[in-house]
Amino acid sequence: MGINILGMGSYLPEQILTNDDFKKFVDTNDEWIRTRTGIQSRHMSGWEPVWYMAKQAALDAISKAGIDPGDIGLVICTTVTPDFLTPSTASIIQYELGIENAAAFDLNAACSGFVYMMDTARRFLETDGSMKYALIVSSEALSRFMDYEDRGTCILFGDGAAAAVIERSDKMYSSFLGSDGSGARKLFARNCSVAPQVKVESDFDDGFPEKPVHQLYQDGREVYKFAVKALPKAFRSAAEKIGVTSADIDWFIPHQANIRIIETAAKSLEVSTDKFIVTIDHHGNTSSASIPLALCEALENGRVTRGQKLALVGFGAGLTYGSVIIEY
Ligand code: UT7
């Protein structure tokens, strides 16, 4: 069973930060950021909470889908930067939008979140015949979790939200979800400090680089090495299940982390970079929101059209990776 995307929506914060703006915090320059990452500017939430951005994106998606919110049976939200540890951002969206008859929960697979969420929602739709529509929302404000003295990381991330209303369909579909937890130390943000007197049986907590709580740490070079392998692997693993190849795909919509990762993956998959939707130049890396923001923009400017085959491919902290192949 596949899915049909009925409508997508997005929200980008009003405030925009250019590369030059970062010169106020760190020793950097526009040329380095453009050539090493492909980023020129990114949005940064100022007054907008994560749930608010999520709500605006969801409202946009519901309006484009032209459905009654009362027919939504499931709300999932992905975020690594929730305003509240609990309740879930999905529960806030559900309340704010008056979606009365829905289950609601958050899902965290870091930057792979949208892919994980789409596949999870599809499984709900497949197994619960009474569920008509699912609302899936990604909303992130990484700017609040940056170390503004770490020039290799703070320049990368942007904020924003995007959402989709989906229903079950018999269109082509495949997915692959993967994880390698041994890479936890390469990309993380702690939520609380570890009490040193507490002894646990696992040595999992050992060996993490020092970083204050609520600040993102990334070993850029190591994550880069992972990403250039994970992206083609995730696509191929999903594609092989249904006997398609990269030549069958009209558009690749990858996680927007670094233009060089996208170019290397395109080479590995033997497809032109012209088949990749790229928004990193004006969005930066918006974690789980990056894939739906890119897809939403491609729908709005008419690049992606009905009947086309799309490969959504994510990778990120966990380390996680995954892909869904759909027909739009
Ligand atoms: O969404 C989660 C997934 N994340 C990713 O996929 C990120 C993957 N990693 C990357 O995209 C890249 O590794 C970065 C963009 C983070 C870094 O690029 P890089 O080409 O790997 O740079 P580097 O860390 O090897 O640093 C090269 C040089 C260093 O200087 P020295 O030691 O060679 O003198 C850095 O200090 O560039 C320096 N540098 C900067 N210079 C100016 C690092 N950041 C900056 C900066 N401005 N902002």
Side-chain angles (χ1 to χ4, degrees), residues 26-29 32-33 36-37 111 150-153 155-157 187 218-225 227 255-258 260-261 285 287 315-317:
V26 284
D27 178 14
T28 191
N29 57 75
W32 191 96
I33 301 174
R36 302 307 292 170
T37 71
C111 303
D150 177 358
R151 66 177 180 169
T153 305
I155 49 97
L156 299 173
F157 292 91
L187 181 50
Q218 175 171 252
D219 181 337
R221 286 184 201 184
E222 284 297 309
V223 178
Y224 188 97
K225 281 190 229 160
H255 172 44
Q256 310 281 316
N258 188 321
R260 291 184 294 134
I261 293 173
N285 179 344
S287 191
F315 53 87

Side-chain angles (χ1 to χ4, degrees), residues 176 230-240 244-247 249 252 269 311 313 322-323 325:
F176 168 82
L231 203 161
K233 182 179 170 185
F235 167 71
R236 285 198 186 101
S237 303
E240 278 162 12
V244 302
T245 69
S246 49
I249 301 299
F252 288 85
L269 292 168
V313 196
S323 178
I325 298 172

